[in-house]
C-alpha cells in the first residue's frame, strides 16, 4: 500500500455515536441515526485490525498518530484498548513510533484505565466546562445526573499517573459570561493545557440553539482570558487558542484546521469503516467511502475531499478576503459559516465579530511575544515588560528614567523597545 501524499489525522469512532452521557449540546449523538439497522455500534476486531494496518501504511511521517473519539470511546472497555495497542505493536514497522490520543468525558476512568494510559503514553483530551455549576449545566448523564464530580476525579487520577491531559472546555451561553472564573478554576485545579471550543448549533433554518454562544460574548470571553494569560501565565498555561494565534508571527503555518487556509486533513472513521470528510460533516453528502472497499490512503486523495478542503479558502466572502486579521482567522471553521455579509454574500462566520475582536485585541501582544521567543528572551521577561509598561503608563516614565522593572538600566535601554501597544 502507498503512503498518503500529505499528513493526515483520523478521528476514529470505534463505538460510533454511543455515549454514556446525554450532554444537551452534543452534535454527535444524532449520528446514530445514520446506522439504524447496523447492529451493535462497535468496530469489529477484524475491521479494527484492517484499519490499523491501513493507517500505518498510509502515514507519511515517522511518528504515526491514532486518535480515538466517539461518542465515548471508553464505553468499549479497557480490554478493547489493550487489543488496539497489541495490534499496533504487531504491525508497527521497525524504526517507527506509534502515538495514541483519546478524547473522553472521563466519567468511566479509574485507576486501571489511568495505569494503562500512563504505561502506553496516551495523550488524553478531557471534556470539562469549568466549575461545577457551569459544567453541570449541560453535561449530565442519561438519568440527568450531574457529572462534574466524576470528571474532576478522573482529572486527579490522570494527574497522579502523570498522563498528559488537555482540557477541552466547550464555551456555551452560561460559562461565556464568567470567563475569569472559568480560567482561574482551571489554574486552581492544576490544568495546564486548555482548549476553548465555541458552541454553535443551528435551531431551525436561520436561528441558533439557546446554548449557543454569541459572537460578541465569545470575543469578550477570549479577550478577558487572554489579558490574564499574557501578563501572568505565558509558558505556564498552554491555551491552544492563543498558541495557534501566535504561529503566524513566528512564521509558522497554522496547526489547527479551524485556523488554516484550507482543511480536509482530518477525516472521520465510523465504526463500520465509513469515512467522512470532517467530524462536523458526518452525513451522506460527505461520505467518502469505506475502508473495506477502498484503502484509507486512496480515500484521503479523493476529489471530493480535496474539493472540500479547498472550498474553505475558495468560498470566503469578499469581506473576509479584505480583512486585516485574515492570516489569523482564515474564515474559521466552515461549519460556522452560516451568515451573510452586509453585501449579501454567503459564507460569513457567525462568530466573525467576536473572532475579529479577539484577534485585533491580541495581535500587538502576540507580535511582541513572538519577538521575545525568536530572540531567546524568557517568557518571564516578556510578562515583566508588560507589567513595566503598565507601571510606566501610570507615572509616565520617560526614556531616561530608571526602568520600572527594577533592572537598574534606563527605561530606553531596557523594556521600552519591546513594549506591546
Amino acid at each position: 500500500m502507498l503512503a498518503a501524499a500529505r499528513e493526515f489525522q483520523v478521528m476514529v469512532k470505534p463505538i460510533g455515536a454511543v455515549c454514556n452521557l446525554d450532554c444537551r449540546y452534543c452534535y454527535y449523538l444524532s449520528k446514530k441515526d445514520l446506522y439504524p439497522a447496523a447492529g451493535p455500534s462497535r468496530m469489529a476486531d477484524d475491521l479494527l485490525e484492517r484499519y490499523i494496518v491501513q493507517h500505518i501504511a498510509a502515514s507519511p511521517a515517522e511518528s504515526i498518530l491514532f486518535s480515538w473519539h466517539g461518542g465515548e470511546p471508553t464505553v468499549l472497555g479497557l480490554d478493547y484498548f489493550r487489543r488496539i495497542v497489541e495490534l499496533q505493536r504487531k504491525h508497527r514497522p521497525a524504526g517507527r513510533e506509534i502515538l495514541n490520543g483519546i478524547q473522553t468525558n472521563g466519567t468511566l476512568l479509574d485507576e486501571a484505565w489511568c495505569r494503562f494510559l500512563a504505561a502506553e503514553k496516551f495523550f488524553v483530551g478531557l471534556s470539562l466546562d469549568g466549575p461545577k455549576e457551569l459544567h453541570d449545566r449541560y453535561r449530565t448523564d442519561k438519568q440527568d445526573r450531574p457529572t462534574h464530580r466524576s470528571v474532576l476525579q478522573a482529572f486527579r487520577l490522570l494527574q497522579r499517573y502523570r498522563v498528559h491531559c488537555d482540557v477541552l472546555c466547550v464555551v456555551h451561553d452560561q460559562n461565556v459570561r464568567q470567563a475569569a472564573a472559568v480560567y482561574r478554576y482551571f489554574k486552581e485545579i492544576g490544568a495546564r493545557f486548555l482548549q476553548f471550543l465555541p458552541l454553535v448549533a443551528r435551531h431551525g433554518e436561520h436561528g441558533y440553539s439557546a446554548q449557543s454562544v454569541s459572537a460578541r460574548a465569545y470575543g469578550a470571553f477570549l479577550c478577558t482570558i487572554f489579558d490574564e494569560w499574557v501578563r501572568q501565565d505565558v509558558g505556564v498555561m498552554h491555551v491552544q487558542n492563543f498558541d495557534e494565534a501566535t504561529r503566524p508571527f513566528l512564521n509558522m503555518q497554522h496547526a489547527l484546521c479551524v485556523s488554516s487556509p484550507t482543511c480536509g486533513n482530518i477525516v472521520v472513521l465510523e465504526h463500520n469503516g465509513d469515512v467522512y470528510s470532517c467530524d462536523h460533516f458526518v452525513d451522506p453528502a460527505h461520505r467518502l467511502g469505506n475502508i473495506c472497499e477502498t484503502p484509507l490512503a486512496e480515500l484521503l486523495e479523493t476529489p471530493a475531499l480535496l474539493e472540500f478542503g479547498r472550498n474553505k479558502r475558495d468560498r470566503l466572502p469578499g469581506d473576509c478576503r479584505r480583512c486585516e486579521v485574515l492570516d489569523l482567522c482564515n474564515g474559521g471553521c466552515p461549519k460556522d459559516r452560516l451568515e451573510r455579509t452586509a453585501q449579501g454574500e454567503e459564507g460569513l462566520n457567525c462568530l466573525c465579530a467576536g473572532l475579529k475582536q479577539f484577534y485585533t485585541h491580541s495581535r500587538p501582544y502576540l507580535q511582541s511575544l513572538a519577538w521575545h521567543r525568536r530572540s531567546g528572551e524568557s517568557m518571564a521577561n516578556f510578562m515583566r515588560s508588560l507589567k513595566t509598561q503598565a507601571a510606566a503608563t501610570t507615572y509616565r516614565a520617560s526614556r531616561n528614567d530608571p526602568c520600572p522593572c527594577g533592572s537598574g538600566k534606563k527605561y530606553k535601554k531596557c523594556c521600552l523597545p519591546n513594549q506591546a501597544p
Side-chain angles (χ1 to χ4, degrees):
M1 284 184 258
L2 294 176
R6 57 203 166 99
E7 292 193 26
F8 64 89
Q9 184 178 346
V10 180
M11 296 180 69
V12 193
K13 314 277 188 171
I15 194 67
V18 173
C19 186
N20 62 319
L21 300 191
D22 196 17
C23 301
R24 290 178 176 83
Y25 55 60
C26 183
Y27 66 93
Y28 210 83
L29 287 177
S30 62
K31 302 304 178 183
K32 66 180 182 301
D33 297 337
L34 291 170
Y35 305 99
S41 296
R42 176 188 183 277
M43 186 176 286
D45 288 355
D46 59 338
L47 179 57
L48 177 65
E49 184 164 14
R50 182 193 295 261
Y51 160 62
I52 288 172
V53 169
Q54 289 189 17
H55 186 117
I56 290 172
S59 297
E62 287 301 308
S63 293
I64 305 167
L65 174 64
F66 288 83
S67 301
W68 307 98
H69 288 248
E72 173 51 42
T74 61
V75 168
L76 287 161
L78 184 50
D79 284 344
Y80 190 91
F81 279 84
R82 290 191 176 112
R83 176 63 175 158
I84 286 173
V85 171
E86 178 184 318
L87 290 171
Q88 289 173 338
R89 288 182 179 140
K90 174 182 175 181
H91 296 289
R92 180 180 63 86
R96 304 283 296 278
E97 176 186 34
I98 289 181
L99 305 172
N100 285 286
I102 184 171
Q103 181 64 41
T104 177
N105 61 45
T107 59
L108 300 178
L109 295 184
D110 56 18
E111 294 213 26
W113 263 107
C114 290
R115 281 194 297 269
F116 168 81
L117 295 170
E120 300 300 339
K121 297 181 172 57
F122 269 61
F123 296 89
V124 174
L126 183 69
S127 295
L128 179 60
D129 287 354
K132 175 179 171 54
E133 64 276 10
L134 297 175
H135 174 93
D136 286 340
R137 185 69 174 83
Y138 297 128
R139 299 190 65 83
T140 56
D141 66 12
K142 301 295 186 184
Q143 288 75 44
D144 200 32
R145 295 175 299 199
T147 62
H148 180 271
R149 180 178 179 181
S150 59
V151 178
L152 185 59
Q153 287 176 340
F155 178 72
R156 295 301 189 199
L157 277 174
L158 291 167
Q159 283 182 310
R160 186 191 309 169
Y161 283 91
R162 301 183 183 275
V163 177
H164 181 96
C165 180
D166 290 274
V167 170
L168 189 154
C169 173
V170 174
V171 184
H172 49 69
D173 67 310
Q174 299 296 311
N175 58 10
V176 74
R177 306 171 190 171
Q178 301 188 47
V182 169
Y183 181 60
R184 290 169 188 170
Y185 171 76
F186 288 135
K187 290 203 293 185
E188 176 186 328
I189 67 172
R192 293 295 175 258
F193 297 88
L194 303 176
Q195 306 173 43
F196 294 108
L197 183 68
L199 175 61
V200 174
R202 273 290 199 191
H203 181 70
E205 189 174 346
H206 302 292
Y208 298 94
S209 71
Q211 297 94 345
S212 294
V213 65
S214 72
R216 294 294 184 185
Y218 183 58
F221 177 91
L222 290 178
C223 288
T224 297
I225 293 176
F226 178 84
D227 285 346
E228 181 164 334
W229 173 82
V230 80
R231 289 172 173 82
Q232 300 181 22
D233 302 320
V234 177
V236 177
M237 299 289 290
H238 302 273
V239 182
Q240 187 183 57
N241 311 66
F242 306 156
D243 291 343
E244 186 69 16
T246 309
R247 293 178 72 89
F249 302 107
L250 295 169
N251 298 316
M252 299 169 66
Q253 292 185 344
H254 282 293
L256 298 180
C257 59
V258 68
S259 303
S260 300
T262 60
C263 58
N265 295 331
I266 306 179
V267 298
V268 165
L269 177 68
E270 258 289 347
H271 68 286
N272 71 332
D274 284 347
V275 177
Y276 295 87
S277 298
C278 170
D279 192 42
H280 294 285
F281 292 87
V282 176
D283 54 52
H286 293 89
R287 181 182 177 276
L288 302 172
N290 189 290
I291 63 168
C292 295
E293 302 162 356
T294 308
L296 178 63
E298 292 184 28
L299 292 174
L300 292 168
E301 297 302 321
T302 56
L305 180 59
L306 298 177
E307 181 183 13
F308 175 84
R310 291 192 300 266
N311 283 343
K312 186 183 183 202
R313 175 194 62 211
D314 296 345
R315 293 184 180 178
L316 275 176
D319 283 3
C320 292
R321 297 178 190 277
R322 294 185 292 271
C323 182
E324 61 269 23
V325 295
L326 175 62
D327 58 331
L328 302 177
C329 173
N330 284 303
C333 183
K335 78 176 179 66
D336 297 330
R337 295 183 182 181
L338 304 171
E339 299 293 331
R340 292 177 180 267
T341 68
Q343 294 74 34
E345 282 189 271
E346 294 182 342
L348 181 68
N349 194 310
C350 63
L351 296 174
C352 174
L355 293 172
K356 190 170 185 178
Q357 176 189 0
F358 165 66
Y359 288 127
T360 301
H361 173 76
S362 63
R363 187 167 196 157
Y365 298 95
L366 296 176
Q367 288 174 324
S368 179
L369 173 59
W371 181 90
H372 277 77
R373 284 182 172 166
R374 287 195 303 268
S375 65
E377 289 279 347
S378 72
M379 292 302 100
N381 286 345
F382 167 71
M383 290 184 284
R384 186 181 67 182
S385 73
L386 294 183
K387 294 174 184 176
T388 298
Q389 179 186 4
T393 301
T394 300
Y395 66 84
R396 297 178 183 176
S398 69
R399 291 168 54 82
N400 292 311
D401 284 342
C403 186
C405 76
S407 66
K409 300 179 182 178
K410 290 185 177 181
Y411 184 38
K412 68 181 180 182
K413 294 290 188 181
C414 189
C415 292
L416 177 60
N418 304 324
Q419 296 306 305

